[in-house]
Each structure stands twice: as C-alpha cells, then as structure tokens.
Amino acid sequence: MARRPVAWAGAIVLLAEAVGIALLNWFLGLVVNKQDMSLAGLDPHAMSVSTWIAGGVFGLYLALCAVVMLRSAIRDRAPGRLGRMLLISAAVVHGVLGAFSVGLVGWPAFVFMMVVLGLIVLTLVAYDKKPAEAADEPRAPQPA
C-alpha cells in the first residue's frame, strides 16, 4: 500500500509550508514596521511583533503536524490520539484556508491547499487502527 510514501510526502509538504508561512509573516512584519503607519491607533511596532509571533506559532503548529506525519511514516503505524486530533485540526484549517484562498489568492493556492488536505486525510484514513483482515474474520464466542 502507498501509505508510507503519502505520509512522507505530507510531512515534507507540511514542513515546507511551515517554513513558508514563517518567512511570509516575517516579511509582512518587516513591511508593517517600515511603513510607520498605524491601523486604528495601534502601534506599528506592536503590529509587526504580533505578526512575527503569529507566523512563528503557526509555523510551529505546521511543523508539529509534519513531525506527526513523519513519525507515522517511519513507524508505519497510525498516529496516536493526540496526533490524530492534531492532523484532523490541520485538515480543517487547510479546508477553510482553501475556501478563502480561491477568492483572495487564486486557484493555484486553492489547488495547493487541497493537495495538502488530501495528503493529510489520506494519511489519517490509510493507517487504520485494526487490520482489515481481522475485521472480516468471524469472532469466536467468548466463554463466560
């Protein structure tokens, strides 16, 4: 089955996305800092620092998702409960961002978000907790 390569590819893509998001927010923070303008009375320095912090936090979140997928690929086992919740939340985030990106950025960004969403969901579905063969076999009655 192709679950290991999918998990590897998903981990690599999520790690690249984490670095890209962090760098994008770093650049946006620099732009806001150089503008010396305020938005509704906010300090430009506070806005640039909050942009850097948000980019770092979101980048770390995506990097943690990449580590969970990488661990699944290396061990060839399903992620644990916390890892599954983390990957499910990442799938929801990519679905919502994909929907917003169509209007704001364009179709290529939407396609990228849907590819990442597909890699995450395929990794979650491919690693089943119970093997399919064991589910099909009839179970012997348990003694009382």
Side-chain angles (χ1 to χ4, degrees):
M1 182 167 220
R3 60 187 182 190
R4 283 183 110 173
V6 168
W8 276 102
I12 291 168
V13 169
L14 279 174
L15 194 58
E17 186 180 7
V19 171
I21 289 292
L23 289 176
L24 176 68
N25 279 297
W26 173 73
F27 175 73
L28 290 175
L30 287 178
V31 168
V32 168
N33 205 18
K34 298 285 184 195
Q35 289 287 322
D36 250 358
M37 296 173 16
S38 67
L39 179 67
L42 292 173
D43 182 34
H45 181 69
M47 289 190 307
S48 64
V49 168
S50 63
T51 301
W52 291 329
I53 291 171
V57 168
F58 195 54
L60 286 175
Y61 166 72
L62 291 173
L64 185 61
C65 292
V67 167
V68 169
M69 289 183 80
L70 184 65
R71 187 168 180 238
S72 291
I74 291 171
R75 297 175 71 202
D76 199 22
R77 288 186 20 203
R81 182 177 301 216
L82 185 63
R84 288 182 78 81
M85 289 190 303
L86 191 67
L87 290 179
I88 289 169
S89 70
V92 170
V93 165
H94 279 85
V96 171
L97 287 178
F100 284 132
S101 68
V102 172
L104 297 175
V105 182
W107 287 104
F110 172 76
V111 169
F112 175 76
M113 287 294 172
M114 292 304 108
V115 166
V116 176
L117 173 67
L119 289 171
I120 294 170
V121 170
L122 189 56
T123 300
L124 284 169
V125 173
Y127 288 105
D128 198 6
K129 287 284 184 189
K130 295 181 283 185
E133 302 87 51
D136 292 339
E137 294 176 8
R139 295 170 54 175
Q142 297 289 332

